[in-house]
Amino acid sequence: MDAPSGIISAIVTGLVIGVLGRLVVPGRQAIGCLMTILVGLIGAAGGLAIANAIDAAWLLTLLLQVGVAAVLVLITASATGRNQ
């Protein structure tokens, strides 16, 4: 995989996991698109690390990634004070 397609796939993965994480959290979080991607990237990496540690299947890996992203959305939204 070359660098541009790797970067693009990482951004898409971060966006998808970030959006799913935001959907899990009740209410509206005004954290922006870039922060959603960043939270999604960190959530995906954190969830994958946890899943690898417990040797989880792909569905549990996805749930862990979304769960970590949801926690990060809560932390980010409360830290910025922009909850609505």
Side-chain angles (χ1 to χ4, degrees):
M1 180 181 304
D2 56 345
S5 64
I7 292 170
I8 291 170
S9 65
I11 291 170
V12 170
T13 300
L15 180 63
V16 169
I17 297 296
V19 167
L20 290 173
R22 285 182 70 175
L23 288 174
V24 170
V25 176
R28 185 167 184 235
Q29 300 78 33
I31 60 172
C33 187
L34 290 177
M35 189 58 72
T36 300
I37 292 172
L38 182 63
V39 164
L41 286 171
I42 296 169
L48 184 61
I50 295 169
N52 284 338
I54 62 173
D55 196 29
W58 70 270
L59 183 59
L60 183 57
T61 301
L62 177 64
L63 293 175
L64 286 168
Q65 290 173 327
V66 172
V68 170
V71 169
L72 291 173
V73 165
L74 282 172
I75 292 170
T76 304
S78 65
T80 59
R82 294 173 60 186
N83 287 359
Q84 294 180 350

